[in-house]
Amino acid sequence: MRKRKTSADHDSSFTGTLLEGSSDLKQCHKKTDAASDPGGSGTAMGRRYRRGGLMWRLRKILIWVLGIYITIPVIIKVCPSIQAKLVFLNFVRVPYFIDLKRPQDQGLNHTRNFYLQPEEGINIGVWHTVPSVMWREAQAKDAEWYDKSFQSSHPVILYLHGNAGTRYTSTQGPLYKTNSVLCSLGYHVVTFDYRGMLSGSPSEKGMTSDALFLYQWIKQRIGQKPLYIWGHSLGTGVATNLVRRLCDRGMPPDSLILESPFTNIREEAKSHPFSMVYRYLPGFDWFFLDSITANDIRFASDENVNHISCPVLILHAEDDAVVPFQLGKKLYDLAAQSKSLNGHKVQFIPFPSSLGYRHKFIYKSPQLPNILSDFLSAPHPHV
C-alpha cells in the first residue's frame, strides 16, 4: 500500500532541489571564472600594472631631478652673474620687516642710523652704536652728539658682517647681538650694509672701497685713538682686503680680528654645504669656481696675510658647518709664517664643538672678554 506524500514531504523535496540548484550555480560560476581567468592571473596582472605605474612615476621624477641637476651648472656657466648673486646674496633680507631707520625699535636706543655716499650713485646705510656706559646719555641725541662721542676715550671697532642680511642681521645670525656684546665691553661699534642693498651692485672691489671709505670717515673723527677691524664670514675677506690696502699705504689699523674666516673664495665655495651635491661632479671647478673667478671675486685672504703688518686674531668654532674649521686653521698657519707679520702678534683661538657655537654664536662665549683683553694687551675701556 503506497504511502501518501504529505505537504512536509513536498517542502523537503523542494528545498533539496533548491540547494542542489544553488550548488550547481556556484560550480557554474567557478567554471566560468576559471575559463575567463585561468590560474587567477587577473589579480596578479592588476598588481603588476599598479607596480608598473608606480615605477613609471618614479622614473619620471628621477628624470626631472636629473635634468635639473644637469641644467643648473650649465645655466651658471652660461650666466656667471648668477654665481655672483649667490656669493653676495644681496637680494636676501631677513627679517624683511625690520625698519633699519629705527634701531631703537630693536632695543638699540644708543644707536644712530645714517647714510653715506662713498661715490656718486652709491649709498650705504650705517649704524653707530656707542658703548653701553654711554647708553643713558645717548637717549634721543642728534647726529652732532654722536659725532662728538667719538672723542671719548673709548676705542672703535669697524665691524664687517657676512653676506646677505643687513646691518641688523645676516644669514649668519643676529649681528646686533655681537654689537651689544662689544658695546658692553666699552667699544664704539660702527657697521654698514654693503653696496647692493640700497643702490649699486655688489662686487669685491666695491665692497672693499666702501669699507675703506668708512674707515677713513671714522679715522677723521677719532684721531689717534685705537681703531680695530673685525670681520665675520665673508666680511673677513673684505677685512683682509681693506687691511692690505691700509698696510700698503703705510697706515695699518691697530688690530685685525677675523671671526670664522676662510682662505679664499674658491676653497670656501668648494667646502660650502650648498656645493655638496656637486662637489664630486666632473668639471665642478670649471662650472662653478671658474664662474666665481670670472666675476673677479677672489677674497684671497691667504694672499693678503703676506701683505698685512698688524696684530691678527682668528676666532673659529670647530663645529662650523658654513666655513669649515680647517680653513680658519689653514689661514692661521699661513699668517704665522708670513714675513710681513713677523714681530706682530698672530693668535688663533679655537672653540670646541661641545660648546655648540658653530658659525654664528662665538659672541656667546664667556671667555670672549678675556680673549680680547689679552690679545689687545689692554683692559677693556669700560673697566
Side-chain angles (χ1 to χ4, degrees), residues 69 269-281 284 321:
Y69 181 83
K270 197 167 188 175
S271 304
H272 198 280
F274 289 162
S275 70
M276 189 177 300
V277 294
Y278 288 105
R279 198 171 298 161
Y280 304 105
L281 175 73
F284 173 84

Side-chain angles (χ1 to χ4, degrees), residues 65-273:
V65 171
L66 185 61
I68 294 172
Y69 181 83
I70 295 172
T71 301
I72 288 175
V74 174
I75 292 175
I76 288 177
K77 188 64 182 178
V78 173
C79 304
S81 60
I82 296 176
Q83 184 72 311
K85 292 184 179 296
L86 294 176
V87 170
F88 299 118
L89 293 176
N90 62 299
F91 56 90
V92 177
R93 179 174 172 176
V94 180
Y96 183 77
F97 54 84
I98 295 295
D99 186 358
L100 297 172
K101 297 177 182 178
R102 297 181 52 83
Q104 62 269 27
D105 291 348
Q106 312 308 318
L108 295 173
N109 44 9
H110 56 313
T111 298
R112 174 196 171 205
N113 174 75
F114 59 102
Y115 300 91
L116 294 175
Q117 192 174 41
E119 59 187 68
E120 187 176 355
I122 301 296
N123 295 295
I124 57 174
V126 186
W127 275 3
H128 169 205
T129 305
V130 298
S132 297
V133 293
M134 302 175 70
W135 178 82
R136 289 186 181 279
E137 190 181 356
Q139 303 305 300
K141 290 297 192 297
D142 58 12
E144 183 180 358
W145 181 90
Y146 274 92
D147 269 358
K148 288 182 178 179
S149 72
F150 278 124
Q151 299 171 11
S152 67
S153 60
H154 300 274
V156 182
I157 292 177
L158 172 58
Y159 190 98
L160 305 170
H161 64 72
N163 63 345
T166 63
R167 53 196 180 277
Y168 166 78
T169 186
S170 68
T171 54
Q172 282 75 38
L175 172 57
Y176 78 94
K177 291 184 179 180
T178 302
N179 283 4
S180 296
V181 171
L182 297 176
C183 291
S184 70
L185 297 176
Y187 298 95
H188 291 267
V189 179
V190 180
T191 188
F192 72 102
D193 290 340
Y194 305 119
R195 63 175 64 195
M197 287 298 299
L198 290 176
S199 59
S201 299
S203 67
E204 179 178 0
K205 183 179 179 181
M207 292 163 68
T208 304
S209 296
D210 294 345
L212 177 61
F213 175 86
L214 187 54
Y215 178 91
Q216 293 171 332
W217 183 90
I218 298 170
K219 200 67 180 172
Q220 290 173 358
R221 285 156 177 77
I222 66 172
Q224 300 303 312
K225 193 165 56 177
L227 175 54
Y228 309 119
I229 296 175
W230 186 309
H232 176 235
S233 193
L234 188 70
T236 63
V238 181
T240 61
N241 282 349
L242 169 61
V243 175
R244 177 176 177 173
R245 281 200 191 183
L246 293 171
C247 292
D248 287 345
R249 298 180 181 185
M251 303 182 299
D254 292 275
S255 287
L256 170 63
I257 302 168
L258 303 175
E259 180 187 354
S260 306
F262 51 88
T263 48
N264 58 70
I265 196 64
R266 287 179 72 97
E267 289 193 354
E268 161 55 15
K270 197 167 188 175
S271 304
H272 198 280

